[in-house]
Amino acid sequence: MQRLWASNGRMALITGTIALAAFVVPQPVSSHPSRVTDADDAALAFNPDGYTTITVTVDGKPTTVRRYSEICDVAKPVEAAAQQPGMGGTTTISNTRCGYQSMNVFVPETAAQDQRAPIYFAVNNSGWMASYIRASITDGGAYNSATSVAGAALEAGYVFVDVANRSRGMVGAAGDWPGKAPAAVVDAKAAVRYLRLNDAKMPGSAERIIVNGTSGGGALASILGAAGNSPDYLPYLARIGAAGITADGRSTIRDDVFAINAYCPITDLGHADLSYEWLYNVLGTRTELGQNNLPAAASAIAAQFPAYERSLGLGLDATNLLDVIKGEVIRSAETYLKADPANTIPPLGGTFVIVSGGPPGQPPTTKSYVNDWIDVNAATGKVRFVDMKKYLAFVATQAALKTTPAFDALGVDGKVTSRAETDLFGPADQRYLNYTAYRWDHNDVAGDGSGLDDTGLTRAQYIRKSSTTVDDQVRLIDPMSFIGTPADTAPYWYVRAGTRDRDTSFIVPINLSRALAADRQVNSVNFRLAWNQPHAGNYDVPEAMAWIADVVARAGDPLVR
């Protein structure tokens, strides 16, 4: 990973934290390259009259919406099998031609002629799973702008777009897995390119695309925001007939975006196991709670983390990271208390009562946990102290830690089924491929085609082969590979992770926010750990939408350049 760290006298604003040293980024290519019309672009022309009118209720008021359904945003989509894996079985999809490479566009009638309206671009994949086309807005639906991003977008007069994408788990018509990385990023970029190609014909402004996503969607939003206009994706975009790719492989259309609204991003997958094991072993959390299924592996993986963290040049390392996390937890608690006089945090010895959603069709569950880790002065709203050892134990008790390894788990300790991200990587004709060095070198499932045991090569030897692509796959879905490079990073970022989120290490979003703050292309980063939130998103719709309205206003008229 190459970074150009240097002082250039410019520093991005990161809300509530200290921005670290900025670095020099070469000037990007022209924002408005000349367009070349070709057959693929002609096939992607938007039909302004191709909508149906639906009526929904937003905050109790009838709202007329134009719905453009299942617009295929590439000229050469990848055919999918009709039967796709689903929760507990399989599901049948109707749009096998383009159901994973299309979008639903919803335009409030008030914005039908508005070329300035922001475009709220929702990526709906969780856990980096493939996202078949969906409709967040349905005829006759009722939406509350305080709790629904779709309702809030309609109320604000924004164009709302549901974006589908290939990714892990998608089965192709040939029985293969064509959603391997970086397919999700490529498809999201293709959707942006479609909007830019048709900007003059479509309501809304492609200069004001705000990308929203949670978990794997938060990670997809993050890489989409970080890797704007990178030429590294052009061969992939050409294969699917994305807009603005000429016959000789040049790009005539941009795919950078305006703003990112990301929740609990599962990102930096190449190093996510390192930060996870370090965080939950440095104070003995795994062992103390009896959640250390592979202690030797956990220790070995954790030992690799300090060197990686230092390599980022963010001013963070194993000596100060716990204090940084503690500071973010304190800031989260005090922000929560200040937001509303009715907000309280139980005293030491008091009880946290946590209500969690149950399985589909089942009532939510309520559990209680003794507060033994944070002491708050109720009169001043200030935190007296946080016990980090007990805090991490609380996080890992209210939701058990992922087993070791957390992210690259297939092929390890005999495991051939897992919800981990191993199957995001490898060739399309192979179910999974270990993508981290430790797991590759310790794969013990014979015949899976992955690891030292089957290939006879260490990971270092394997990635030196010219035919190897897994290292590129990891890089092309990681925003940390593009922040601070010539790629055109989005200027505005709103990033949240919950203080109860055990799905990835708190270090991952902290690193992301610090790297963004040092990128001279980034105007502001609004990052915070959200008080008492789990691995979830869109729990703060009014706050997030107010932020969007503010950055849109600050940026000025998108039609004036």
Side-chain angles (χ1 to χ4, degrees):
M1 187 182 301
Q2 183 179 11
R3 284 185 175 77
L4 304 173
W5 297 95
S7 174
N8 64 357
R10 178 173 175 181
M11 187 174 292
L13 170 67
I14 176 168
T15 304
T17 61
I18 298 174
L20 301 180
F23 50 85
V24 171
V25 181
Q27 291 301 311
V29 297
S30 171
S31 297
H32 309 290
S34 59
R35 300 246 176 114
V36 178
T37 302
D38 62 14
D40 287 347
D41 285 6
L44 296 174
F46 175 73
N47 177 11
D49 299 321
Y51 64 89
T52 58
T53 300
I54 64 175
T55 301
V56 302
T57 301
V58 179
D59 298 338
K61 299 177 295 185
T63 302
T64 302
V65 177
R66 296 184 181 186
R67 171 176 169 162
Y68 296 86
S69 298
E70 299 192 18
I71 300 171
C72 193
D73 51 40
V74 296
K76 300 170 185 173
V78 177
E79 186 83 14
Q83 298 295 314
Q84 294 292 327
M87 296 299 291
T90 60
T91 185
T92 301
I93 64 171
S94 58
N95 187 349
T96 57
R97 176 180 176 272
C98 207
Y100 287 98
Q101 293 170 293
S102 58
M103 63 176 77
N104 284 323
V105 178
F106 301 91
V107 183
E109 194 62 39
T110 56
Q113 306 303 322
D114 189 349
Q115 290 289 303
R116 293 175 170 84
I119 298 174
Y120 193 97
F121 185 105
V123 291
N124 299 305
N125 58 321
S126 61
W128 279 105
M129 301 301 293
S131 177
Y132 183 70
I133 187 64
R134 61 177 281 184
S136 295
I137 299 169
T138 57
D139 194 18
Y143 305 92
N144 184 333
S145 65
T147 57
S148 162
V149 292
L154 293 178
E155 174 66 18
Y158 298 171
V159 174
F160 187 94
V161 182
D162 276 315
V163 181
N165 60 268
R166 296 168 297 152
S167 195
R168 70 188 186 106
M170 175 200 169
V171 178
D176 57 353
W177 295 276
K180 302 288 188 176
V185 188
V186 173
D187 289 349
K189 281 178 167 284
V192 172
R193 286 170 168 267
Y194 180 93
L195 295 173
R196 287 195 178 277
L197 174 71
N198 294 289
D199 196 20
K201 294 181 179 180
M202 296 184 71
S205 171
E207 295 295 331
R208 296 293 181 266
I209 295 173
I210 298 103
V211 187
N212 168 269
T214 296
S215 186
L220 178 53
S222 298
I223 180 61
L224 188 59
N229 305 320
S230 170
D232 295 354
Y233 300 89
L234 296 184
Y236 302 92
L237 290 162
R239 284 174 210 152
I240 60 173
I245 307 295
T246 63
D248 60 357
R250 292 180 299 109
S251 177
T252 63
I253 291 177
R254 293 159 41 210
D255 54 38
D256 59 299
V257 297
F258 175 73
I260 303 301
N261 177 203
Y263 295 89
C264 52
I266 299 292
T267 192
D268 197 13
L269 282 176
H271 309 94
D273 276 325
L274 276 59
S275 59
Y276 198 84
E277 296 305 332
W278 182 84
L279 182 63
Y280 290 110
N281 282 277
V282 68
L283 297 180
T285 308
R286 277 200 182 279
T287 300
E288 181 179 306
L289 299 180
Q291 297 183 29
N292 210 351
N293 60 306
L294 295 173
S299 178
I301 294 169
Q304 299 175 50
F305 171 72
Y308 167 67
E309 186 65 31
R310 287 194 302 272
S311 76
L312 295 177
L314 297 173
L316 302 174
D317 58 37
T319 67
N320 64 13
L321 265 170
L322 288 178
D323 285 338
V324 170
I325 296 171
K326 179 193 291 187
E328 292 294 346
V329 172
I330 291 171
R331 184 163 71 95
S332 175
E334 292 181 349
T335 300
Y336 168 76
L337 292 171
K338 185 178 180 180
D340 188 337
N343 290 344
T344 61
I345 293 174
L348 279 175
T351 302
F352 283 106
V353 178
I354 296 174
V355 179
S356 304
Q362 300 296 316
T365 59
T366 301
K367 294 184 178 180
S368 299
Y369 303 90
V370 174
N371 174 20
D372 61 355
W373 59 271
I374 185 168
D375 185 25
V376 175
N377 184 325
T380 64
K382 297 296 183 181
V383 174
R384 293 190 179 99
F385 76 85
V386 169
D387 184 317
M388 282 299 293
K389 181 178 177 67
K390 292 180 178 178
Y391 166 61
L392 294 177
F394 164 73
V395 172
T397 298
Q398 54 88 40
L401 296 176
K402 295 179 176 181
T403 55
T404 303
F407 300 94
D408 188 9
L410 286 168
V412 178
D413 198 29
K415 189 176 293 185
V416 293
T417 60
S418 171
R419 292 174 61 89
E421 285 77 6
T422 314
D423 61 349
L424 182 59
F425 301 97
D429 61 357
Q430 186 171 333
R431 190 165 71 87
Y432 66 82
L433 192 74
N434 292 109
Y435 60 94
T436 61
Y438 188 88
R439 301 333 301 169
W440 176 275
D441 293 341
H442 291 79
N443 178 297
D444 58 10
V445 174
D448 66 356
S450 180
L452 175 64
D453 60 334
D454 279 7
T455 66
L457 302 172
T458 66
R459 184 177 183 276
Q461 293 168 332
Y462 180 76
I463 63 175
R464 283 200 293 268
K465 293 176 59 181
S466 60
S467 60
T468 298
T469 60
V470 67
D471 51 333
D472 286 329
Q473 289 179 309
V474 173
R475 180 179 64 85
L476 290 172
I477 67 167
D478 183 7
M480 300 296 284
S481 298
F482 292 90
I483 298 167
T485 74
D488 294 321
T489 301
Y492 299 102
W493 292 71
Y494 181 103
V495 181
R496 293 289 185 272
T499 58
R500 291 195 287 115
D501 185 356
R502 67 57 154 150
D503 281 48
T504 192
S505 166
F506 299 117
I507 297 165
V508 169
I510 289 173
N511 280 346
L512 175 64
S513 68
R514 293 295 182 96
L516 288 167
D519 189 331
R520 69 173 194 164
Q521 299 182 87
V522 177
N523 292 337
S524 69
V525 183
N526 186 318
F527 167 72
R528 192 168 70 246
L529 295 182
W531 178 253
N532 205 29
Q533 291 293 341
H535 189 71
N538 297 327
Y539 36 70
D540 57 351
V541 175
E543 180 183 1
M545 294 302 291
W547 173 82
I548 292 171
D550 177 64
V551 298
V552 166
R554 272 195 274 162
D557 188 342
L559 300 184
V560 177
R561 295 170 178 166

